[in-house]
Amino acid sequence: MNLEKRISALSRLGEALKVAAEVLERGELGFSESESAVIDVQRQSTVMNPWFSKENIVFSFQAWSKLLTRDKLEMWISVYDKKKLEIGGSKQVAVINAGNIPLVGFHDFLTILLSGNSYVAKNASDDKLLLPYVASLLISIEPEFISYITFTERLKEFDAVIATGSNNSSRYFNYYFGKYPHIIRNNRNGVAVLDGSESEAFFKSLADDIFIYFGLGCRNVSKLFVPVGYNFDLFFRSVYDRNLVMQHNKYMNNFEHHNAILLLKQIPFLQNGFLILLENPAIPSPVAVLNYEYYSDEGQLFNTLIEQKENIQCIVSSNEKIQATDKLKSIVIKEGKTQEPGLANYADGIDTMEFLLSL
């Protein structure tokens, strides 16, 4: 399949995802076969994994539909060897997908197919339906893709591996797949650096970075760095309109569990009825908990962030100094945009397209 066919089909997939999101937002029983199909997939996905709420699936569909345009796809690949892209790869690329948020593995799916290689994937048990559904949309647009896409429970024949999992599973991935060309990703999280000058509008946008996908994504903000003596009142007031998470049973079970544990252990914390703020040096935080850490010196803070860069997916901050810091500026992102990365914003900073074109 030539490059033009791939770009054309993938841009039309963006249009199909936009329509699918609109169908789900209407909340009505579909009248056509395609409308019924997306409603059925959403409902089954939510039953299988309650973290995959309809709202989160809609958000994912919408986010990808905005990226899958001809202009954006062509701009993305313009920096790579056009001859290699035109020819296309001929490799079988095995992918082990995580299942923490809806369509978490879509970027790998997109990159492998756009590079002309074949996609062979093992999906997480928590997310077995959404990516195959999107693949079926693509195949209906361009039937030639059917020979390029395989979903399987057991990976057998492949030439390269892309695997995403926890820090623990990544060690196993390295052991089993180390002899193949590979990208192995482990746990990372987003953080936010505050300096006290933030507005209510900033915090309302930051709330997206904290609460979308219930905070389960690797780009979700799980920790705040704040100046010594920082007052959280404006933060709590600004994010209170996210209290709809209180209607989600699994989320509130997590909130009540951590709230009770901290009370029993007599560990100081702040909470507003649905979010716990806990002083904790760790970057990852459990669902319904947001860690924070005080800093007194910006230079020392920046050094800490540089040292911890391997554990940080992105940094949200309006601080111009951090935006200009050479070793950090590539992962600094505007508030409210952590879950809307561009096509060239590769997970863990590893250029997947370059990797695929080198096979």
Side-chain angles (χ1 to χ4, degrees), residues 49-339:
N49 183 352
W51 295 117
F52 285 19
S53 66
K54 183 176 80 170
E55 293 76 17
N56 282 339
I57 292 173
V58 167
F59 180 88
S60 181
F61 282 7
Q62 289 174 334
W64 282 112
S65 73
K66 293 173 187 174
L67 291 173
L68 293 179
T69 67
R70 174 175 286 276
D71 287 347
K72 288 180 180 177
L73 290 168
E74 289 180 343
M75 183 177 294
W76 172 33
I77 62 174
S78 65
V79 300
Y80 299 102
D81 188 322
K82 188 173 182 180
K83 187 176 180 180
K84 287 184 178 180
L85 281 165
E86 288 282 1
I87 296 170
S90 57
K91 304 298 184 182
Q92 299 280 326
V93 183
V95 181
I96 299 175
N97 284 315
N100 50 321
I101 64 174
L103 294 183
V104 67
F106 183 81
H107 194 276
D108 290 330
F109 174 85
L110 169 65
T111 312
I112 290 167
L113 295 180
L114 190 53
S115 70
N117 290 291
S118 294
Y119 176 86
V120 183
K122 183 181 188 304
N123 287 330
S125 59
D126 288 339
D127 186 13
K128 287 187 174 294
L129 301 177
L130 290 176
L131 204 45
Y133 166 73
V134 172
S136 72
L137 290 179
L138 180 60
I139 292 166
S140 69
I141 292 166
E142 176 48 73
E144 202 172 336
F145 269 118
I146 196 167
S147 61
Y148 287 81
I149 301 169
T150 304
F151 293 97
T152 181
E153 285 301 309
R154 187 174 181 183
L155 298 170
K156 293 180 180 178
E157 297 180 3
F158 48 86
D159 302 298
V161 178
I162 299 175
T164 304
S166 66
N167 290 341
N168 189 46
S169 62
S170 67
R171 288 194 289 269
Y172 290 99
F173 293 156
N174 275 302
Y175 176 79
Y176 286 111
F177 302 123
K179 64 181 179 180
Y180 299 95
H182 62 268
I183 294 175
I184 307 293
R185 307 188 189 105
N186 53 18
N187 282 356
R188 293 197 186 202
N189 297 90
V191 302
V193 175
L194 310 181
D195 60 17
S197 67
E198 293 78 18
S199 64
E200 180 177 350
F202 176 94
F203 286 129
K204 284 189 176 297
S205 294
L206 180 63
D208 284 343
D209 304 323
I210 295 167
F211 290 104
I212 288 176
Y213 302 134
F214 301 107
L216 289 166
C218 68
R219 299 179 66 84
N220 281 107
V221 169
S222 61
K223 180 173 182 175
L224 307 177
F225 289 92
V226 299
V228 171
Y230 188 83
N231 188 319
F232 287 100
D233 286 351
L234 179 59
F235 169 81
F236 271 134
R237 287 200 306 273
S238 303
V239 305
Y240 194 75
D241 59 2
R242 297 311 177 98
N243 58 42
L244 285 177
V245 294
M246 298 173 75
Q247 297 176 14
H248 193 272
N249 289 336
K250 284 180 74 73
Y251 182 92
M252 286 309 294
N253 286 343
N254 276 267
F255 172 82
E256 290 163 3
H257 169 78
H258 294 298
N259 189 73
I261 293 295
L262 293 169
L263 287 172
L264 284 170
K265 292 184 175 181
Q266 298 184 326
I267 297 173
F269 66 96
L270 302 171
Q271 60 107 323
N272 66 348
F274 59 89
L275 179 67
I276 293 168
L277 281 178
L278 178 66
E279 186 174 2
N280 189 333
I283 290 176
S285 62
V287 172
V289 178
L290 185 62
N291 292 339
Y292 71 90
E293 182 176 339
Y294 290 117
Y295 68 88
S296 56
D297 181 89
E298 272 191 351
Q300 187 175 342
L301 170 62
F302 294 175
N303 288 334
T304 298
L305 293 171
I306 291 168
E307 291 169 3
Q308 290 288 319
K309 193 175 177 181
E310 291 300 308
N311 300 313
I312 298 172
Q313 197 70 264
C314 54
I315 300 171
V316 176
S317 183
S318 58
N319 186 304
E320 292 181 356
K321 291 180 183 177
I322 196 169
Q323 293 172 359
T325 302
D326 286 340
K327 292 183 179 180
L328 295 174
K329 62 184 181 182
S330 64
I331 60 171
V332 176
I333 193 165
K334 183 176 173 59
E335 68 277 5
K337 297 298 180 182
T338 64
Q339 295 303 333

